[in-house]
Amino acid sequence: MEGNGEGGLHFGNGEDRDGNPVLTYAPSGSRLRRQTQSGTGMLKHKLLQMFSLLVLLVAGVSGLLGWQLLQKQVVDEAQKQVQLDLGGAWALLDGRLREVETIVRMTALKHAVRDAVQARWEDAETLDQRLDLIQEAFGFDFLHVVGRDRQLLHPSQPSAAGTETVWPTSLALNAAMQGQPLVGFELISAEDLERFRPELAARARLRIEPTARARPTPREKEDRGLVMVAAIPLFEEEAPAGAVIGGVLLNRNDDLVDRIVRTVYKDETYHAAPLGSATIFLEDVRVATTIRLPDGKRALGTRVSQEVADRVLGEEAPWIGPAFVVQELYLSVYEPIRDLAGQVVGMLYVGRLERPYRDLRQQTLLTYALLCLAGLAVALLLALVMAARLSRPIHALVEASGRMHRGEPHATVQLHSSCREIEALVESFNEMAETLEERQARLNATNAELERNAEALTTLNRSYMDMLGFVSHELKSPVASMQNYAYLLKNETLGPLTERQGKAIASFENGINRLVEMVKHYLNLSRIESGEFRPMRGEVRLWEDVLEPLLDFMEPTLQAREMPVETDLPDGLVLFADSNMVSEVFENLLSNACKYGRVGGKIRIAARVEGEMAHCSVWNEGPGFTEEEKPRLFMKFSRLENAQSANVRGTGLGLFIILKIVEAHGGSIDADSEPGAWAEIRFTLPVLQNEAAAGSTGT
């Protein structure tokens, strides 16, 4: 290769001793310098192009994946929340059902009812008045006493009195007449409703409205009644002699579905539209709902879509997912409602508006896109900087060619020598990287071990609390049943007892009471540990709502231990607190005073108002505690050891739960004692203020 007359590097005719051509320098010309500079620029541009393509590819893939994951995450999380909402709705529905059962059971225990069944009650009108009072007080739609011949024993409904039976097809009544109590949901035909109580028949009657996407039906009206019903047998000489039957009609039961929405969704709205909704279906027809039509009326008589009906009513499986409800898209959950025979007769539905989550998803996606664009710009800038840095070693060749062009002493440029700086840099970097990698490996191993230990501890604690909450919750129903039967046995409702049997029943009842206390304490502990221990504040009259019923309930225990109770309370003291939690505080403290106080000793309950807080105290005569024992009083699972406590069993959770209740209300708690003489627990709770009374809906 010959030069062009300007001088520069070229292959000459000379060869080295191995026969390879020798690179020589011509003193004049700058062709090599221009070529080297051009090559450096091309390398820089190629590196920039490669980095840019890589950044764009990664940004595109991550953006697409991020969009899909974000979209799925928002919808999935919202749908999971709706499934939790359904659990809350079932809890309210089951709670109302348990309330119906409890009231019917208590009614069945009344002497007047038993006398009426045993033909010893002559004044049917008075019995009717008593049943009407109970029915009105607890919001029942019907409450009746049925005799052995299945006739009503009181004339509250002349249209029904004297007929062969109250409900010819009632599984609940049939079971009760066989001596078995039965509680659940039941369908009543239009004919039975009309004969039984015409006003309930009118309330159940709905015109079936044409509804888009519903499955075809020839029916034009729905006049059957879906009821919560409880039937409790009445016995005469251990043989079924009749029954008490009562219940609530769910058709047009606006109060129940409104309460579900208020409790589960806290009356939240989105752009003036309710965020949540709830519906009770009789088969596929809405008979009680919070869903509104465009004219503002409740969507009674409208029907569910065919795909939901086929899933829930046909396959008897829950429907979980988005569903078009009358005129809006909701994230919905439908579950079957089964009657006493196990047949699916309706559905329970809860749903959240899909619109807020759609808007949130769009806003989040827009923010994500802007962040991606900003990150892309930064990445491209970094790519430009990195391309420039990687091309810098080429400048060594430019400097060498520049020295030769200036006529400096000849120097042979070895082609492989151009990589020495990069090799040195790579070598140094590799050494440093190996050192850092070893350190990072050790650190990662340590962190992984710590994470495994932490995860194991967290899992163990979660499993413990889950098991504790599950076992305590599952014990509630059997323990309540045991309490009922213990009460019946103790009061000889089921027959007379011998003295030995009476002592056994008393011991059995004491054991049940200890078990009830333990279940209640462990349920509260589970709620505390899971962060669900939050008060629902409202107006609480300290004497009327808490102390008076509590002292009436504990009167037999107080009399048995000859312990008088003194009260020193301001007139009309009203707290702004959770009524159940306040009752639990005073119940635990009075129970402790009875169990650990001196027989015949005095108990004093006092309260005074200072500013926004009520300063309350419970004082009792007894062994008390020492200053050394005081720090352990409010500790979890802690019990003081003395002669009195050795004879009393407990969980060691009572004062700990009281501490958490008081703290949850923003109050404080303390204790004082004179060992061997008395003990006192002092605590504060918020007083109802005018502004709190105006807007107290719970916190």
Side-chain angles (χ1 to χ4, degrees):
M1 177 178 172
E2 298 293 331
N4 59 3
E6 296 179 355
L9 288 175
H10 60 88
F11 287 110
N13 295 325
E15 295 178 347
D16 62 12
R17 64 182 62 184
D18 296 325
N20 297 319
V22 178
L23 186 64
T24 59
Y25 176 79
S28 60
S30 59
R31 180 180 178 184
L32 178 61
R33 181 184 62 184
R34 291 196 302 268
Q35 290 178 344
T36 306
Q37 291 174 340
S38 176
T40 304
M42 290 178 63
L43 177 61
K44 179 178 178 181
H45 290 130
K46 287 182 179 180
L47 288 173
L48 180 59
Q49 290 176 2
M50 293 175 62
F51 280 127
S52 299
L53 288 174
L54 180 61
V55 168
L56 289 172
L57 179 62
V58 172
V61 172
S62 63
L64 180 61
L65 292 176
W67 179 79
Q68 293 178 343
L69 290 174
L70 182 62
Q71 184 177 20
K72 186 176 186 300
Q73 187 72 15
V74 170
V75 175
D76 287 353
E77 288 300 320
Q79 194 64 59
K80 290 178 182 178
Q81 183 60 49
V82 176
Q83 291 177 253
L84 294 176
D85 297 342
L86 181 67
W90 271 119
L92 286 171
L93 207 60
D94 290 341
R96 180 58 169 156
L97 190 60
R98 294 307 126 206
E99 181 182 18
V100 169
E101 177 188 8
T102 301
I103 300 307
V104 174
R105 281 188 182 276
M106 294 178 66
T107 303
L109 294 176
K110 292 185 175 294
H111 292 291
V113 173
R114 296 200 301 272
D115 290 345
V117 171
Q118 298 170 7
R120 294 197 299 268
W121 182 265
E122 300 296 333
D123 190 356
E125 183 177 356
T126 302
L127 174 62
D128 179 50
Q129 292 174 354
R130 293 187 179 185
L131 293 178
D132 285 345
L133 287 175
I134 297 173
Q135 177 176 321
E136 182 179 357
F138 294 98
F140 279 34
D141 290 311
F142 54 88
L143 182 63
H144 293 285
V145 180
V146 182
R148 185 181 290 106
D149 55 0
R150 299 186 173 226
Q151 291 186 351
L152 296 178
L153 298 183
H154 58 101
S156 67
Q157 302 298 326
S159 62
T163 58
E164 180 183 357
T165 180
V166 176
W167 287 326
T169 58
S170 172
L171 291 177
L173 185 59
N174 291 343
M177 298 302 290
Q178 298 292 326
Q180 295 295 325
L182 200 57
V183 182
F185 298 93
E186 191 167 30
L187 273 182
I188 306 178
S189 68
E191 294 77 11
D192 288 343
L193 271 180
E194 189 67 41
R195 179 173 53 79
F196 173 62
R197 182 168 286 185
E199 62 270 23
L200 293 185
R203 177 174 148 195
R205 194 176 301 117
L206 288 171
R207 185 170 70 90
I208 295 180
E209 302 290 344
T211 309
R213 304 186 184 184
R215 57 186 179 182
T217 179
R219 301 174 59 209
E220 297 181 354
K221 66 178 181 178
E222 177 59 77
D223 49 11
R224 295 171 296 173
L226 180 61
V227 298
M228 289 180 176
V229 64
I232 305 300
L234 297 171
F235 295 89
E236 182 177 5
E237 298 180 354
E238 299 185 357
V244 178
I245 186 167
V248 176
L249 180 66
L250 297 181
N251 300 54
R252 298 185 191 271
N253 198 324
D254 298 338
D255 179 67
L256 183 57
V257 291
D258 288 345
R259 194 182 342 156
I260 290 174
V261 171
R262 283 195 306 271
T263 303
V264 175
Y265 299 104
K266 313 299 182 186
D267 287 332
E268 295 180 23
T269 60
Y270 184 76
H271 296 322
L275 178 65
S277 59
T279 298
I280 296 174
F281 289 84
L282 197 165
E283 292 185 351
D284 65 342
V285 180
R286 291 180 176 87
V287 295
T289 184
T290 62
I291 298 293
R292 302 280 179 170
L293 296 171
D295 59 3
K297 295 180 180 179
R298 295 180 187 262
L300 297 173
T302 59
R303 301 167 60 224
V304 76
S305 64
Q306 182 171 358
E307 57 183 352
V308 175
D310 291 343
R311 175 71 172 173
V312 181
L313 300 178
E315 302 175 13
E316 300 186 359
W319 167 277
I320 302 173
F324 191 80
V325 181
V326 181
Q327 59 180 347
E328 276 273 8
L329 188 63
Y330 283 77
L331 300 176
S332 310
V333 180
Y334 297 78
E335 277 195 356
I337 295 177
R338 299 181 184 272
D339 65 5
L340 295 170
Q343 300 297 318
V344 175
V345 295
M347 298 180 286
L348 176 63
Y349 151 88
V350 293
R352 288 175 175 256
L353 275 174
E354 190 266 354
R355 206 183 337 146
Y357 301 99
R358 183 174 65 246
D359 294 344
L360 173 63
R361 183 178 57 205
Q362 291 175 350
Q363 293 173 2
T364 307
L365 288 175
L366 178 59
T367 303
Y368 182 79
L370 293 175
L371 290 175
C372 285
L373 289 175
L376 180 60
V378 172
L380 290 174
L381 179 60
L382 290 175
L384 178 62
V385 173
M386 292 176 64
R389 293 188 62 182
L390 288 175
S391 62
R392 285 176 185 170
I394 307 301
H395 289 293
L397 293 175
V398 176
E399 292 177 357
S401 64
R403 287 196 299 271
M404 289 187 294
H405 179 70
R406 290 192 296 269
E408 297 179 359
H410 175 73
T412 301
V413 179
Q414 300 294 332
L415 191 58
H416 64 275
S417 65
S418 61
C419 298
R420 288 181 178 177
E421 293 181 358
I422 296 177
E423 291 173 356
L425 178 61
V426 170
E427 184 179 355
S428 299
F429 176 81
N430 288 339
E431 291 177 357
M432 179 182 65
E434 289 177 3
T435 302
L436 291 177
E437 187 176 5
E438 292 175 358
R439 290 183 182 178
Q440 188 64 36
R442 292 194 297 270
L443 182 60
N444 288 343
T446 303
N447 288 340
E449 183 66 24
L450 291 175
E451 288 177 0
R452 286 194 295 271
N453 292 339
E455 184 177 358
L457 290 174
T458 302
T459 302
L460 181 61
N461 184 65
R462 187 186 302 114
S463 300
Y464 162 70
M465 294 313 304
D466 288 346
M467 181 190 68
L468 183 64
F470 174 81
V471 171
S472 300
H473 183 272
E474 291 300 314
L475 282 174
K476 288 175 62 179
S477 295
V479 168
S481 177
M482 292 165 64
Q483 273 190 308
N484 288 336
Y485 282 108
Y487 178 84
L488 294 175
L489 291 171
K490 179 181 178 181
N491 290 275
E492 299 186 351
T493 304
L494 304 180
L497 300 174
T498 65
E499 180 179 358
R500 185 177 180 184
Q501 289 172 336
K503 291 181 179 179
I505 291 300
S507 177
F508 176 61
E509 187 176 34
N510 289 335
I512 292 176
N513 291 336
R514 288 197 299 271
L515 185 57
V516 168
E517 179 183 10
M518 182 177 66
V519 168
K520 184 192 302 182
H521 285 173
Y522 280 126
L523 274 174
N524 282 331
L525 176 62
S526 177
R527 291 169 58 201
I528 291 170
E529 296 290 345
S530 63
E532 299 175 356
F533 199 70
R534 294 185 293 272
M536 299 295 294
R537 303 194 187 201
E539 178 179 332
V540 181
R541 299 172 299 173
L542 183 58
W543 173 252
E544 293 84 355
D545 297 340
V546 178
L547 292 177
E548 187 176 21
L550 178 59
L551 290 174
D552 289 343
F553 173 77
M554 296 188 64
E555 183 177 359
T557 304
L558 293 169
Q559 289 180 351
R561 293 184 61 81
E562 302 178 354
M563 302 177 80
V565 178
E566 298 178 358
T567 60
D568 182 12
L569 307 172
D571 292 335
L573 175 57
V574 181
L575 304 176
F576 182 53
D578 187 305
S579 178
N580 292 331
M581 290 187 176
V582 174
S583 297
E584 186 167 0
V585 168
F586 281 96
E587 181 181 355
N588 278 339
L589 292 178
L590 282 175
S591 177
N592 284 350
C594 288
K595 289 189 292 187
Y596 302 111
R598 185 167 56 247
V599 175
K602 190 188 318 179
I603 299 174
R604 183 168 61 245
I605 304 172
R608 56 185 173 83
V609 177
E610 290 186 7
E612 298 180 355
M613 304 299 286
H615 293 253
C616 308
S617 64
V618 176
W619 179 96
N620 69 280
E621 294 179 334
F625 52 86
T626 65
E627 282 297 319
E628 291 75 18
E629 294 172 325
K630 181 176 178 179
R632 297 168 46 207
L633 277 178
F634 300 100
M635 292 174 60
K636 184 166 50 176
F637 301 118
S638 176
R639 300 183 71 237
L640 304 185
E641 299 297 335
N642 53 49
Q644 181 67 15
S645 65
N647 300 320
V648 180
R649 296 181 180 179
T651 61
L653 290 172
L655 290 178
F656 172 77
I657 292 172
I658 291 174
L659 169 67
K660 294 301 179 181
I661 291 176
V662 171
E663 289 179 347
H665 285 82
S668 59
I669 190 168
D670 196 8
D672 199 5
S673 174
E674 181 180 329
W678 54 267
E680 183 180 38
I681 304 295
R682 300 186 299 271
F683 56 95
T684 60
L685 292 170
V687 177
L688 182 69
Q689 306 293 323
N690 290 334
E691 56 272 21
S696 59
T697 59
T699 59

